[in-house]
Every structure is written in C-alpha cells, then in structure tokens.
Amino acid sequence: MSAVSNDSRKRSKKRYAASHHNKRWKGSRELEVGMQGILITCNMNERKCTAEAFNLLNEYADQLYGPEKLQDNNGSSSEEEEAEEEDVDVALKKEVAQLQASGAKQERRFQALDSGANNVIFIKTLNLESDKLVHHILSDLHTTKKKKSRVILRMLPVTGTCRAFQDDMVKYLTTYLEPWFKTPNCATYQIAFKARNSSHNKRDEIIKSVAGLVGKLNPKNKVDLTNPELTVIVEVIKAVCCISVVKDYTLYRKYNVQEVVKEDTPKLDVATVKTDTNTAEEKEKHDAETNKEEKKGEEDNDKNVPQDKKEVDKGEADGE
C-alpha cells in the first residue's frame, strides 16, 4: 500500500515540475518601463521564436555594429599576472575580485524577457538602435525575398516605454514625438495601436490623443492611412506602453517578416482598366444592336414567306 502511495506522489511531483517549467521557461525577468528593445510576435512556439530571433538579430547586428565584444571578467591584466613579486594582501584582494566578477551575470546586447502576453516575446537591446536594426532587417528581406524564419511574424522596435495609462502616455509622448513632428519637422503619418492584457485603454481615445499631440507639434503634420511617411506604433502590454516611430511601415507589410519576402502583386493601371471596361461595354452594345438587326431581318423574312406562298399558289391556280 505504501509503495503505491509513494509512486503516486512521485508522479504528481513530476507533473507539477513539468507544468511549472512550461509556464515560465525564460526566467523571472519581465518587460518594464524604461527598457528598449524589440517586440516579436510569433505563431504559437515562443521557444523556437526566441531562437530564431537571436539568430536573425545577431546576423544583422554584426553587419551594422560588428561582432559582439564581451568584457573580460578575469580581473587583472597580463602585466599584473606576469609580476614576479606581489604583496600578499593585494593578491588576496585580486582573487576575491576575480571570484565576484566571474559570478556576476554579464549583460548581452540581446536578452529575452517575458513580455507579459502570449505569443509575444520581448528582446531587450543594449547599446544599439533597435529601430535602425529592424528597418535594416526588413529592407534586406524585402530586397532579397529570402525567407529566414518560420515562426516569427512581426518585429516591432521599441525605442521608448512608459506606464500604460492615458495621462502618462500623453505626458511621455509630448516630448518623445518632437524629433519627428515638432516644427520645423513635419510628415504624413498614421497611428498603429494595439493593447494586450489591458482593458483600461480604449483604442479610439488613445489614437485621438496621440493625433492631437502631433497636430500641436506642427499643424502641417497630416494623417495618411494609405502611404504615410511615418507610423507611430503604440503597443500596450499589461501596465507597460511600448512606443516607436518607424518608416516604410506599409511598404514592409506592417513589419511582418513573413509577408515582406513575398513577391509584390502588380497593381492594375486604373486608366487601362477603365479603357478595357469601356471597350467591353462598346463591344457588348455593338453585339446587342447587331443581334437586334438580325432578329428584325428574320422577322421580316418570316412575314414575306406567306405572301410569297400565296403568289405561288395563285400562279399555280392560274396555270391550271
């Protein structure tokens, strides 16, 4: 009896450990106000998405910024290591410093954090411009049409973060938007807003507030929902608002790495379509008139048949 209960306990512990591991595999660090990085949406597989993201980001970061240089945590320089004589106290302090340095976690230029939403990962960036890097990636994918990921969907740079409450957002954006929209700068723009795990922000109200700010910075700024020069991205996840201003948002298919590699669908020329339509209408009208005339001719022939027959019958009667 006791053996059965022990086996049951072991199985329950295994199930608990497995479920706990699956819930949070990326660690306890989460997206917070004050961070910069890249929001990446994926297709159900966050673990594989993270691996793809690191490969893709490192490949293009090496092109823009060179290979990542990690700090040497060994403590002293080679000259100190080669010294023949050294004070005992200095040697002891150096050894302690080396142990502390080796135990400290080193900051990398890309770190995966918990975003706070399903199918979304946040890659924190260090010492690089995330908007420049993401635009460079999408530009290359759009040009080469070479697919480099399977589960990554969209890559959205995050160059500013604040608390996800309307008053905080308006206050933060008032200063944040100046480099792009404050006089003498001006541009056509659109606002892309999305909220995840947050119910206190209404889409229409946020968009209206942001548009009001842009208008105050320069009245020449105009909304363009078809092909804007700039797009203000506002992504809310729980209590954090992620913000960026990007170029070529429409051209690069809303920064979707799956769509941007597809061949562009050729647009039909409006004038050509109109001409073809007119030609078709004229042909249809001409055919209708032709059919009408042919039908009328057939009716006339039908009317003449009895008359001709009468004349024939009459001739035959006279002949008799």
Side-chain angles (χ1 to χ4, degrees), residues 73-75 91-103:
N73 287 332
N74 291 331
L92 182 60
K93 289 180 181 179
K94 184 176 71 173
E95 186 175 356
V96 172
Q98 288 177 357
L99 291 173
Q100 291 177 344
S102 62

Side-chain angles (χ1 to χ4, degrees), residues 71-84:
Q71 295 179 353
D72 186 8
N73 287 332
N74 291 331
S76 60
S77 63
S78 57
E79 294 180 359
E80 292 174 337
E81 291 174 356
E82 293 173 357
E84 295 180 358

Side-chain angles (χ1 to χ4, degrees), residues 47 51 54 61 67 113 116 121 128 142 150 167 193 212 241 260 280 296:
R47 186 184 292 274
F54 278 127
L113 306 181
I121 65 173
L128 57 83
H142 181 263
R150 291 182 177 274
D167 292 342
F193 173 83
C241 176
V260 77
K296 183 179 179 182

Side-chain angles (χ1 to χ4, degrees), residues 21 34 60 78 101 104 110 113 136 158 161 163 185 193 196-198 200 206-207 216 224 259 261 268 319:
H21 177 71
Y60 286 94
S78 57
F110 299 119
L113 306 181
H136 177 65
V158 177
T161 49
R163 295 177 65 212
N185 298 324
F193 173 83
R196 296 179 175 88
N197 298 341
S198 175
H200 58 273
I206 298 299
I207 291 177
K216 288 181 180 178
D224 183 352
E259 295 295 326
V261 297
L268 294 176

